[in-house]
Amino acid sequence: MKITHIRNATMLVEYANHRFLIDPFFADKGSMPPFENTTNQHLNNPLVELPIHVEELLDVDAVFVTHLHPDHFDEAAKEKIPKDMPIYVQNEKDQAQVEGAGFTKVMCLDEVDTIGGVKVIRTEGQHGSEEMTSLTGSVSGIVFTYHNEKTLYIAGDTIWYDGVEEVIDTHRPEVIVVNAGAAQFLEGGPITMTKEDVVRTHEESPDANIVAVHMEALNHCLLTRRELEDYVEANAIASKIAIPENGESMNY
């Protein structure tokens, strides 16, 4: 497989001769306000431009949207993605909203078994503490499997909790993408993985290659690439943790 990290949670996944776009977030730099009730209110989102032209992101077989927060499926994406593009979402509520934006081929992941021979499994996520989920809402991840590819687990916007542990123990993914950044509001704690969560993911699956993304693109993401690099080096696991720059590709 080839994974190209675009920005935030947006990525291109080339898997079993398919091209999948994950969590399209196409907004121009600074075109969105900061998230409310967070630090860095002087910074508009996103903090950086896309590293490649949007048109290059649209040459795909399908789009996956793990949830409908605007940094995972924004107005620019709704405008630029062809309305007949196959789009896979987490539940019927999200399906109705995406169809309401004019898309005609929207499917719930729980109702899909395979896509072109690739087995696709929706997984649960927890977007912060249990108390925070009333604010952050429902989120999902995705597991991809194919007979001659490594199993890929895209965890989505989740902290480390027993649901992530269960996915790892059940599916034994060989490549795991985690949304780090330690995104948070002024109260309630992190709503995406911290540096400690990234290391905990490695400890649960020490042979897996872990890709840490969702950093340095939003005003409320406080964990930087450099801080995470220093932490995984201090824990002697840097060889197992990829921390890609925007536009960087990795092959597994």
Side-chain angles (χ1 to χ4, degrees):
M1 79 183 78
K2 179 180 180 181
I3 297 173
T4 302
H5 170 57
I6 304 304
R7 180 183 64 184
N8 200 49
T10 306
M11 71 188 85
L12 281 173
V13 175
E14 298 174 50
Y15 192 90
N17 296 316
H18 296 275
R19 283 171 57 88
F20 299 137
L21 176 62
I22 314 296
D23 285 344
F25 176 37
F26 292 169
D28 292 333
K29 177 181 177 182
S31 62
M32 298 167 59
F35 285 97
E36 294 182 1
N37 195 32
T38 64
T39 61
N40 297 319
Q41 287 294 298
H42 61 293
L43 299 176
N44 283 347
N45 292 314
L47 306 182
V48 293
E49 294 285 9
L50 286 170
I52 62 177
H53 293 296
V54 166
E55 289 70 22
E56 298 180 48
L57 302 177
L58 301 180
D59 180 21
V60 294
D61 299 298
V63 173
F64 291 82
V65 179
T66 60
H67 64 293
L68 295 184
H69 287 172
D71 59 312
H72 293 255
F73 190 55
D74 67 339
E75 293 302 319
K78 295 174 187 176
E79 176 183 339
K80 294 174 182 178
I81 294 172
K83 292 299 186 286
D84 61 351
M85 175 72 74
I87 298 182
Y88 296 89
V89 297
Q90 65 175 338
N91 54 34
E92 291 182 354
K93 179 180 178 181
D94 286 13
Q95 180 181 19
Q97 291 190 49
V98 176
E99 288 176 340
F103 293 93
T104 60
K105 296 180 180 178
V106 188
M107 291 147 281
C108 293
L109 282 168
D110 281 341
E111 299 173 2
V112 175
D113 183 47
T114 60
I115 300 172
V118 176
K119 188 170 182 61
V120 181
I121 303 163
R122 186 187 70 83
T123 63
E124 298 290 342
Q126 185 175 304
H127 204 357
S129 67
E130 290 185 4
E131 292 76 16
M132 286 297 294
T133 57
S134 61
L135 173 66
T136 56
S138 175
V139 296
S140 295
I142 311 164
V143 170
F144 295 95
T145 67
Y146 190 72
H147 66 88
N148 65 349
E149 290 275 15
K150 296 180 185 298
T151 296
L152 169 65
Y153 171 32
I154 298 173
D157 268 10
T158 185
I159 59 172
W160 174 267
Y161 79 116
D162 56 6
V164 174
E165 181 177 0
E166 181 179 348
V167 172
I168 292 173
D169 292 348
T170 299
H171 298 285
R172 291 296 174 187
E174 294 146 289
V175 180
I176 304 172
V177 180
V178 297
N179 290 354
Q184 53 198 280
F185 294 90
L186 294 177
E187 298 179 348
I191 59 174
T192 61
M193 287 200 181
T194 63
K195 59 187 180 183
E196 292 84 4
D197 287 344
V198 175
V199 171
R200 182 69 185 85
T201 304
H202 165 76
E203 291 172 345
E204 187 65 27
S205 187
D207 294 328
N209 290 288
I210 296 173
V211 182
V213 298
H214 206 287
M215 287 175 284
E216 301 179 359
L218 301 171
N219 77 287
H220 68 325
C221 286
L222 306 185
L223 175 64
T224 66
R225 287 181 174 94
R226 179 59 184 272
E227 184 180 358
L228 181 57
E229 288 170 357
D230 290 346
Y231 192 72
V232 299
E233 287 178 6
N235 282 270
I237 59 171
S239 64
K240 302 301 293 186
I241 314 292
I243 308 172
E245 297 293 334
N246 296 343
E248 184 178 348
S249 296
M250 296 141 291
N251 293 280
Y252 297 103

